[in-house]
Amino acid sequence: MGARIGVIGLGRIGSHHARNLLTTDGVDALVVTDVDARRTSDVASELDVESAADPDALLASGIDGVLIAASSSSHADLIEAAVRRDIPTFCEKPVADSIESSVRVLATAEQTSVPVQIGFQRRFDPSFVAAYDAVRSGELGWIHTLRSTTLDPAPPPISYIEHSGGIFRDCSIHDFDIVRWVSGREVTTVFATGSNQGDRGIADAGDVDTAATVLTFEGGTIAVVSNTRYNGRGYDCRLEVLGSADSVVAGLDDRLPLRSLDPGTSFPSQEPYTFFMDRFTSAYRAELEAFLGVVAGRRESPCTPTDAVESAWISEAATHSLREGRPVTITEVKDLFLHDKNEAHT
């Protein structure tokens, strides 16, 4: 017998997940809801599934698992509400819209045995999985450098950027998660820089449209993360893993949005990726299949809140580094958080 899954949040990614769930083995029924009642009605009608008036009603509807794709500001409360009802939970990143809320959710989740999976879909892309396996096999030797790239073809609306938490929390966090996961190491020091050459509204929102971050890991491995909101040729997402014995890359295919200037070179030969959902079509489906395994009790969460919060600490350090123009350690931002927390309680 298949599972009855709830979906909270029916925007671009939530409705995409809902459609994928309907065609995934192991799902018998779907219940959907959104803060926009009309959107709830439209999606429920289109997919011919049950709807709920609000998240509380959905969580009380006898579901076996819930997928949260609502606004980032609602993630913390929704995860906690689901966990308190003993409902296995999948939540799109981030865990919460602040490090304070993220740490709170982590504490709540750790007090229960209810599994929570956070949506870092790159962990399920075949090429990124192959990079992970290559590091674990030892075939690359010791890893000296990782280069992770996320270049968007155009920025999201300013209204989104104003509430995104900044490029490091919204975009770079995918890179921070993947270099941590693939390398199997923890970041110790972060040095970030950024600039604005595009829409002035991004700067007015206190953000940058282009950023570069250097991460130093325990043991000396270095990662270089590149991000921009303005990559006119298309959506570019790659990971290079460079070792003492061999080097590999994920994301170097015929849809790579780069134009070679070497004479006689035809690579890449196909139309570039223009959207992250096109680039990670199979990964989005694979992460949902993994979640259904979590719901059924066949496997543990492949991306826990602990994983996500560790990447959030890196984002916090990058944000501090950009503002202060200096390297920032992970220990420093954690100590600052504890200091501020203690001050608030005195």
Side-chain angles (χ1 to χ4, degrees):
M1 183 175 178
R4 176 179 167 88
I5 304 295
V7 179
I8 302 175
L10 300 171
R12 181 175 62 184
I13 191 64
S15 58
H16 181 74
H17 283 319
R19 293 183 182 92
N20 274 342
L21 282 167
L22 277 180
T23 57
T24 301
D25 290 341
V27 176
D28 274 357
L30 216 58
V31 187
V32 301
T33 193
D34 190 272
V35 292
D36 183 338
R38 178 177 291 276
R39 182 181 292 165
T40 299
S41 177
D42 288 346
V43 172
S45 177
E46 175 198 342
L47 302 182
D48 192 23
V49 298
E50 184 181 341
S51 65
D54 54 41
D56 286 340
L58 183 143
L59 293 174
S61 66
I63 55 175
D64 300 303
V66 64
L67 187 152
I68 299 168
S71 63
S72 296
S73 60
S74 67
H75 285 185
D77 289 342
L78 290 172
I79 292 173
E80 290 179 318
V83 167
R84 289 192 185 104
R85 288 180 177 268
D86 292 327
I87 300 172
T89 302
F90 177 102
C91 185
E92 276 296 337
K93 66 86 188 169
V95 170
D97 61 350
S98 69
I99 194 66
E100 293 82 6
S101 295
S102 298
V103 171
R104 187 193 81 212
V105 171
L106 177 58
T108 300
E110 288 181 336
Q111 291 170 7
T112 78
S113 59
V114 181
V116 178
Q117 178 179 338
I118 305 301
F120 284 103
Q121 85 282 354
R122 294 182 199 184
R123 292 183 177 216
F124 299 89
D125 178 83
S127 62
F128 284 88
V129 171
Y132 175 94
D133 291 341
V135 171
R136 297 304 177 284
S137 73
E139 66 191 79
L140 306 184
W142 45 266
I143 307 304
H144 55 80
T145 306
L146 298 99
R147 298 194 189 107
S148 189
T149 299
T150 304
L151 311 179
D152 291 326
I158 296 299
S159 59
Y160 174 88
I161 287 177
E162 289 173 342
H163 301 284
S164 69
I167 196 169
F168 299 117
R169 298 185 182 102
D170 167 54
C171 176
S172 312
I173 193 166
H174 280 287
D175 300 280
F176 299 156
D177 176 73
I178 206 64
V179 296
R180 178 178 173 271
W181 182 66
V182 168
S183 70
R185 296 176 180 269
E186 299 295 348
V187 172
T188 60
T189 308
V190 179
F191 190 18
T193 187
S195 65
N196 286 289
Q197 299 182 78
D199 190 333
R200 180 65 195 175
I202 296 177
D204 291 341
D207 200 6
V208 294
D209 60 43
T210 301
T213 313
V214 177
L215 311 176
T216 302
F217 290 83
E218 295 170 342
T221 298
I222 294 172
V224 180
V225 173
S226 298
N227 307 106
T228 189
R229 305 288 194 185
Y230 290 99
N231 195 52
R233 191 164 180 84
Y235 177 72
D236 190 352
C237 180
R238 279 174 289 138
L239 174 68
E240 299 172 25
V241 187
L242 313 176
S244 60
D246 197 5
S247 299
V248 295
V249 58
L252 190 70
D253 64 23
D254 265 315
R255 296 189 65 185
L256 176 71
L258 280 176
R259 183 165 57 90
S260 176
L261 299 178
D262 289 312
T265 300
S266 59
F267 176 85
S269 61
Q270 298 181 27
E271 287 297 310
Y273 292 107
T274 59
F275 196 35
F276 67 89
M277 292 171 76
D278 292 336
R279 168 64 182 85
F280 290 111
T281 299
S282 65
Y284 280 119
R285 181 170 291 279
E287 71 174 353
L288 293 184
E289 291 171 350
F291 177 58
L292 291 173
V294 171
V295 170
R298 294 192 301 270
R299 63 176 297 175
E300 296 182 351
S301 170
C303 186
T304 67
T306 299
D307 293 321
V309 171
E310 286 303 321
S311 295
W313 284 121
I314 302 171
S315 297
E316 289 299 305
T319 301
H320 281 278
S321 178
L322 176 67
R323 289 173 180 168
E324 300 181 14
R326 64 176 179 86
V328 173
T329 67
I330 299 298
T331 298
E332 182 181 349
V333 292
K334 289 184 177 180
D335 287 347
L336 180 61
F337 166 76
L338 291 173
H339 176 269
D340 290 346
K341 185 178 179 181
N342 291 334
E343 284 287 309
H345 289 162
T346 59

